[in-house]
Amino acid sequence: MTSTAQPPASGAREAHPDHLGHVIFITAAAAMGGFLFGYDSSVINGAVEAIRDRYDIGSGTLAQVIAIALIGCAIGAATAGRIADRIGRIRCMQIAAVLFTVSAVGSALPFALWDLAFWRIVGGFAIGMASVIGPAYIAEVSPPAYRGRLASFQQAAIVIGIAVSQLVNYGILQLADGQQRGEIGGLEAWQWMLGVMVVPAVLYGLLSFAIPESPRFLISVGRKDRARQVLSEVEGKNVDLDARIAEIETAMHREHKSTFKDLLGSRFGFLPIVWIGIGLSVFQQLVGINVAFYYSATLWQSVGIDPASSFLYSFTTSIINIVGTVIAMVLVDRIGRRPLALIGSAGMALALAVEAWAFSADLVNDKLPETQGVVALIAAHVFVLFFALSWGVVVWVFLGEMFPNRIRAAALGVAASAQWIANWAITASFPSLADWNLSGTYIIYTVFAVLSIPFVLRFVKETKGKALEEMG
């Protein structure tokens, strides 16, 4: 599946669409998959300690239950493109919505630990699908002049989903008198936290019936009249629609269905551009960002902060995440993807180093000293801010733009899968690493943030302002 919107006819690239509001609605509806991506990824934060207590498990087993969803994510990301090319982008979204729904119900009502793990894999598969289908669909329906900003809707939806999940978790915790295993209506609080996702999952499914299929897919299956109608809706009536159809067909004929074999080079396994995409995906995760969203409540409780306050700090971190993402959406098409990545890397490295220093202090009565505690909280928020205004957005934009058409489908799938595998490695290792040395763990994340700077400088090329067909 190619995550492309073909360039408009000559002179039309900068034209403002007649129905920009409609384009925004379509983009926002598709980005509901991103909302669920963020919600499902982060909601587990509120249930970690309750799961540990209910099933009486250690850090290693707990980490596997939390991280196992990411295996499903990797599989979903790797297969979503093929599914979407076969049955369409919209149908793929509807499948993901069903999987999100059943995962929420199953996770809320597990009868054993392995059952909970199974439903987390199902939810992970849906997240993986959403991580590929959302950016691809948005790129295919977006007018090029707005593509960077509209592509940012996916990340905006992800961070809003994260924030809403933490707000819902906090509200449920208050109803349960601050107890993650407190009973509400016959279920424990953590079960409600995982089950509430049914609501946005159903909404996602309903919205998928209100938006059009991608023009590119419609042309691929011979529905040119419908493709012409959709192009008119999203690019305006002043565009030469016949020329646009011809351009898309020409581009599709130049391409062939990309396969894993197409990604292979002669010396280093993958082609260099594929390794760069993998590198971007992996660095995005190895700075430890998802520790902030999967384990923040547990992290703050481990250094002496009470559960209610730890949930509140998880929510405020999510708000900072939204602020940073809005900044990125404003700047991504103005100053470019590459400068934002470098600014973010420098800011993250500094914040992570400060966190490492704060966590190196000896606990007093199972709490960090006041100074280190305040510094750790501020640094954690600064870290999330710099991630959100840079790597959180630009990696997704890069992955949608940087690959040549002939390999975009397969390369995007491989890069997204690498991202989920790296996410799994960080998520699965954090509890044990934190038990070993919390400060040392953050030093490791700091090193990866520092290394991302020369990686971007040496290997990553700017894609701002370039048509997708110019990527070679």
Side-chain angles (χ1 to χ4, degrees):
M1 178 184 64
T2 50
S3 55
T4 80
Q6 303 301 322
S10 178
R13 181 177 299 175
E14 299 301 326
H16 290 189
D18 296 335
H19 309 294
L20 184 58
H22 181 57
V23 176
I24 292 173
F25 169 76
I26 292 171
T27 303
M32 268 300 297
F35 178 91
L36 283 159
F37 171 169
Y39 194 102
D40 195 17
S41 295
S42 184
V43 71
I44 195 67
N45 186 18
V48 172
E49 291 306 305
I51 292 170
R52 185 201 299 268
D53 183 65
R54 174 161 175 170
Y55 296 104
D56 190 25
I57 54 178
S59 294
T61 303
L62 176 68
Q64 294 307 316
V65 173
I66 303 305
I68 199 168
L70 301 170
I71 302 300
C73 291
I75 298 171
T79 58
R82 290 287 171 265
I83 296 172
D85 276 344
R86 187 174 296 273
I87 65 175
R89 284 58 164 151
I90 299 299
R91 191 71 68 190
C92 197
M93 292 181 194
Q94 291 163 354
I95 292 173
V98 170
L99 293 177
F100 276 123
T101 302
V102 298
S103 170
V105 174
S107 297
L109 303 171
F111 53 81
L113 187 64
W114 69 264
D115 184 47
L116 174 62
F118 171 76
W119 291 115
R120 284 190 53 71
I121 293 174
V122 173
F125 190 90
I127 294 173
M129 292 180 72
S131 74
V132 172
I133 296 304
Y137 175 85
I138 291 170
E140 291 181 351
V141 300
S142 297
Y146 298 93
R147 193 179 65 222
R149 278 164 284 182
L150 293 174
S152 299
F153 272 48
Q154 172 80 355
Q155 181 65 19
I158 292 171
V159 299
I160 292 171
I162 291 170
V164 170
S165 74
Q166 299 312 300
L167 181 60
V168 170
N169 283 357
Y170 181 71
I172 291 173
L173 189 72
Q174 299 309 302
L175 292 175
D177 298 322
Q179 301 298 315
Q180 288 168 262
R181 294 199 62 191
E183 189 170 301
I184 306 173
L187 296 177
E188 295 182 3
W190 70 273
Q191 294 177 276
W192 282 104
M193 293 175 187
L194 300 184
V196 167
M197 193 179 68
V198 165
V199 176
V202 170
L203 178 60
Y204 180 41
L206 293 175
L207 284 172
S208 71
F209 288 98
I211 59 178
E213 182 56 85
S214 153
R216 186 179 179 85
F217 175 76
L218 291 170
I219 292 172
S220 74
V221 295
R223 298 178 59 189
K224 293 184 183 179
D225 289 342
R226 177 56 180 155
R228 184 178 289 104
Q229 181 181 352
V230 174
L231 285 169
S232 175
E233 292 173 359
V234 299
E235 295 194 9
K237 297 180 180 179
N238 294 329
V239 175
D240 185 336
L241 297 178
D242 289 333
R244 286 290 289 113
I245 296 288
E247 280 184 306
I248 295 173
E249 287 185 310
T250 299
M252 291 174 65
H253 289 152
R254 286 201 306 263
E255 302 168 9
H256 65 286
K257 293 292 183 180
S258 55
T259 65
F260 185 82
K261 185 178 179 180
D262 296 323
L263 307 183
L264 300 179
S266 58
R267 294 180 58 193
F268 303 107
F270 290 124
L271 295 168
I273 190 65
V274 178
W275 279 119
I276 293 170
I278 291 171
L280 285 167
S281 291
V282 169
F283 271 118
Q284 187 197 51
Q285 297 302 314
L286 294 186
V287 296
I289 184 59
N290 281 308
V291 168
F293 301 123
Y294 299 162
Y295 294 115
S296 60
T298 296
L299 173 65
W300 298 125
Q301 289 174 52
S302 74
V303 293
I305 294 175
D306 65 90
S309 295
S310 71
F311 273 59
L312 179 61
Y313 293 141
S314 295
F315 174 63
T316 58
T317 301
S318 300
I319 296 301
I320 293 296
N321 197 19
I322 294 175
V323 172
T325 301
V326 171
I327 293 172
M329 292 174 69
V330 171
L331 297 179
V332 68
D333 279 333
R334 294 186 180 182
I335 71 172
R337 291 69 161 137
R338 198 165 174 263
L340 275 183
L342 293 170
I343 292 168
S345 293
M348 288 189 297
L350 180 60
L352 286 166
V354 172
E355 280 193 87
W357 170 81
F359 289 135
S360 69
D362 293 330
L363 300 184
V364 178
N365 297 323
D366 294 324
K367 295 181 66 173
L368 280 176
E370 184 176 356
T371 299
Q372 282 84 350
V374 171
V375 168
L377 282 169
I378 293 173
H381 284 73
V382 171
F383 164 62
V384 171
L385 175 65
F386 274 97
F387 176 86
L389 65 81
S390 60
W391 286 73
V393 168
V394 299
V395 169
W396 290 108
V397 177
F398 267 130
L399 294 182
E401 296 179 336
M402 64 186 292
F403 300 116
N405 277 336
R406 64 184 181 82
I407 65 167
R408 184 170 287 121
L412 183 58
V414 167
S417 295
Q419 187 172 130
W420 289 117
I421 293 170
N423 190 341
W424 172 83
I426 292 296
T427 304
S429 64
F430 177 75
S432 297
L433 285 173
D435 287 347
W436 160 69
N437 188 314
L438 185 57
S439 178
T441 302
Y442 273 80
I443 289 174
I444 293 171
Y445 300 154
T446 302
V447 169
F448 283 118
V450 171
L451 290 176
S452 69
I453 296 174
F455 175 80
V456 172
L457 289 172
R458 175 66 179 84
F459 298 111
V460 180
K461 296 181 180 179
E462 182 60 74
T463 59
K464 172 191 171 186
K466 294 183 179 180
L468 294 178
E469 282 65 38
E470 295 176 43
M471 309 302 172

